[in-house]
Amino acid sequence: MPSSPHCSFYLITPPLTGANAGAFASGFVEVLAAARAASALVRFAPGAEGEAKAIVAPLLKAAVSADCALIVENDARLAARLGADGVHVAGAGEALEEALASLKPERIVGAGGLRMRDEAMAAGEMGADYVMFGEPRGQVPAMALELLLERVGWWAEIFETPCVAYAESIEAAGKLARAGADFVALDGAIWNAASPAEAARQAQALLAEIAAGAP
């Protein structure tokens, strides 16, 4: 998942189960047709890992057709078994180390849940393909936008590893793109909209507008 001179679009799915994945897949196809997403992170609802193949298969087909890298959460072995493009793990500890050892260089390994600067730097030094800042995780809420903007600006100024910034709204995505994020990650701002496809088009148009105004 190489970075580009301008900010790209990164999708995060809601937590999926075998029961809701089919209905979600049709909306996923529409969103990928409406906007160019560089990557999509598939999240599983608690206990749904056993249904992972049924959940991922239609999403992977759509992602391949749209030239969108499909990444699964937490499980590197599952990512390889399902033919996904990579895995997204939390932190810069053993899980990241194991994912890097088992998947690189064939697949993407991203690191999220990085609340402290030292942890983000460690993930980059270990060889993560990207670091993600700001996403909610478990009982931990999304990072406050002002703090996230500061973190993104700091990272973009110093480090070469691409940075993904989690945006709670399309407006916030624009601010984060201007702050220097290589990718902006959107979930509820897309999927909870009256028309997810239209929301994706709006996000894409905003990123294109920012890119056009970039020096």
Side-chain angles (χ1 to χ4, degrees), residues 37-101:
S39 307
L41 173 62
V42 181
R43 299 175 61 220
F44 302 107
E49 292 81 5
E51 303 171 288
K53 184 175 181 179
I55 293 169
V56 168
L59 305 182
L60 183 58
K61 182 178 179 181
V64 169
S65 296
D67 194 25
C68 170
L70 197 77
I71 298 168
V72 299
E73 195 171 42
N74 297 331
D75 194 328
R77 285 176 292 183
L78 181 63
R81 192 164 71 246
L82 296 175
D85 294 290
V87 68
H88 177 89
V89 299
E94 187 176 335
L96 179 59
E97 187 176 348
E98 291 178 357
L100 289 166

Side-chain angles (χ1 to χ4, degrees), residues 13 35 46 68 96 103 153 192 210:
T13 76
C68 170
L96 179 59
L103 296 186
N192 296 336
I210 292 168

Side-chain angles (χ1 to χ4, degrees), residues 9-45:
F9 190 21
Y10 181 117
L11 283 168
I12 302 177
T13 76
L16 297 175
T17 67
N20 68 15
F24 175 79
S26 61
F28 184 71
V29 169
E30 291 175 0
V31 165
L32 290 185
R36 168 76 177 94
S39 307
L41 173 62
V42 181
R43 299 175 61 220
F44 302 107

Side-chain angles (χ1 to χ4, degrees), residues 108-193:
I108 296 164
V109 177
L114 304 167
R115 296 284 160 159
M116 306 301 292
R117 290 188 179 198
D118 287 350
E119 194 175 24
M121 289 189 289
E125 290 167 1
M126 289 169 70
D129 290 296
Y130 68 82
V131 296
M132 182 183 289
F133 296 129
E135 79 278 21
R137 195 170 187 93
Q139 300 302 311
V140 180
M143 187 181 291
L145 180 58
E146 290 306 314
L147 176 58
L148 183 54
L149 287 167
E150 183 275 331
R151 185 67 50 84
V152 167
W154 162 74
W155 186 268
E157 186 175 340
I158 300 173
F159 302 98
E160 294 185 5
T161 300
C163 161
V164 183
Y166 173 80
E168 292 190 280
S169 68
I170 292 172
E171 180 185 10
K175 292 180 179 180
L176 292 162
R178 290 186 179 95
D182 296 287
F183 303 85
V184 287
L186 291 162
D187 55 5
I190 301 298
W191 310 117
N192 296 336

